[in-house]
Amino acid sequence: MRLLADVFLLIGAAFACLGALGLVRMPDVYTRIQAGTKAVTLGALAFLIGAALLFPQWWAKLLCILGFILFTSPVSSSTIARAIHLSGITPWRAPTPEASGQAPMSPQAAKPAEGR
Amino acid sequence: MDDTPVDPRPSIGHYLFSVLVLALLWLLLAGSLATAELIAALAVGILVTSIAGPRLAVLSGVRLSPLAPWHLLRYLLTFLVALVAANVDMARRVLSPSLPLRPALIEVRTALRSSLGRMLLANSITLTPGTLAVDIRGDRILVHWVDCPPGTDLDRATAAISDAFERHIRGFLK
């Protein structure tokens, strides 16, 4: 049981770390939000499962926390993304296939998305 | 936002649903099933529901049918699998040296009418592989897609991104 809990805690920490790495590596604000939201949500989920295995008497409260996180984290991301979209920032477009693997310092101006 | 649907007033059934959910939450947090706790749970449920009454319009999206819990369960399973897949996918992209990204903004169509249902769908889209819900206008959700195949149109995007969730959500939300 202890081992299983530790594995979950480690998985949670690993995903949180990946989320941070994503924030650093992604080229523009939309992709950064994506990397951040998903990784941190799953990280929190794994972390809470680990905590529930370590302290079974807390499971109900942890379940409530989990529900709130699952409900609110995407909402905040979408809200930020919507504000960015409404202020006219267009998504980054990959430069050329022979890019050096370095994300460009500044997102290029891309054609505005269609459908608006 | 002039084309957002206005949720109708919740019915008696929805008020009962609210009381039940709040009572269950109370029992969960209290962690005991003693008679006193049961009474307290019911009292709290009724009190909070009556205070919040007119503002519970968001609950009118809940479909009160005996099959609803079953659909909810299936939705949760689908969602969890998608969430893990999303993260493995994201990890692969973040760790690969060339950053494989083909981002684009596209639209998907939704048939859900209630604000609660739409919110849940947008949340699901945000937490699944490579997609982020940006805005909702009428029955269209604007989505930022990290890996958009060239030549994607509305129908294909809907099929790829939101169909699976919507099928399940429709079982327990309007």
Side-chain angles (χ1 to χ4, degrees):
Chain A
M1 190 56 106
R2 181 64 209 264
L3 187 72
L4 199 61
D6 286 347
V7 166
F8 271 109
L9 291 177
L10 266 178
I11 291 175
F15 274 113
C17 185
L18 276 174
L21 189 64
L23 281 184
V24 173
R25 287 208 63 199
M26 289 297 183
D28 78 339
V29 66
Y30 294 102
T31 42
R32 272 184 219 131
I33 290 178
Q34 288 216 29
T37 315
K38 292 188 226 302
V40 169
T41 308
L42 187 70
L45 197 147
F47 201 85
L48 288 170
I49 292 175
L53 289 173
L54 272 184
F55 303 97
Q57 68 273 26
W58 291 354
W59 72 269
K61 294 175 179 68
L62 291 169
L63 192 70
C64 293
I65 295 172
L66 183 64
F68 288 131
I69 287 180
L70 280 181
F71 244 80
T72 53
S73 151
V75 171
S76 59
S77 297
S78 286
T79 308
I80 297 171
R82 180 166 180 268
I84 292 161
H85 173 70
L86 291 181
S87 61
I89 294 181
T90 47
W92 172 85
R93 293 282 169 87
T96 48
E98 53 270 7
S100 61
Q102 289 294 315
M105 292 308 289
S106 61
Q108 303 173 307
K111 290 192 292 290
E114 50 199 68
R116 273 298 128 93
Chain B
M1 302 291 282
D2 46 293
D3 48 8
T4 15
V6 178
D7 288 320
R9 277 193 68 84
S11 63
I12 290 294
H14 289 111
Y15 285 128
L16 283 176
F17 173 80
S18 156
V19 170
L20 252 172
V21 168
L22 289 166
L24 271 177
L25 191 62
W26 179 273
L27 288 176
L28 263 183
L29 291 174
S32 81
L33 285 173
T35 318
E37 283 295 354
L38 282 173
I39 293 169
L42 266 181
V44 166
I46 291 167
L47 184 72
V48 174
T49 305
S50 53
I51 290 174
R55 293 176 200 81
L56 283 177
V58 70
L59 277 181
S60 64
V62 178
R63 218 184 269 280
L64 300 165
S65 78
L67 275 179
W70 162 243
H71 283 293
L72 178 63
L73 202 68
R74 279 183 44 192
Y75 160 75
L76 281 176
L77 278 177
T78 314
F79 170 74
L80 276 178
V81 170
L83 179 64
V84 174
N87 277 282
V88 172
D89 175 73
M90 209 29 119
R92 193 176 52 80
R93 277 182 216 285
V94 168
L95 293 175
S96 70
S98 62
L99 268 181
L101 301 173
R102 282 182 299 178
L105 279 170
I106 48 159
E107 288 187 324
V108 299
R109 196 188 288 119
T110 174
L112 292 165
R113 286 280 153 261
S114 67
S115 46
L116 190 64
R118 287 170 175 205
M119 179 199 141
L120 198 62
L121 183 65
N123 272 359
S124 312
I125 289 173
T126 299
L127 288 176
T128 45
T131 50
L132 166 73
V134 175
D135 199 356
I136 300 187
R137 301 268 173 99
D139 66 344
R140 303 286 168 89
I141 301 182
L142 184 70
V143 175
H144 177 265
W145 197 359
V146 158
D147 194 10
C148 182
T152 306
D153 59 356
L154 179 69
D155 290 322
R156 223 178 298 168
T158 307
I161 294 173
S162 63
D163 246 10
F165 292 123
E166 190 158 330
R167 265 206 314 278
H168 291 304
I169 292 178
R170 213 176 287 151
F172 61 93
L173 294 173
K174 289 192 184 87

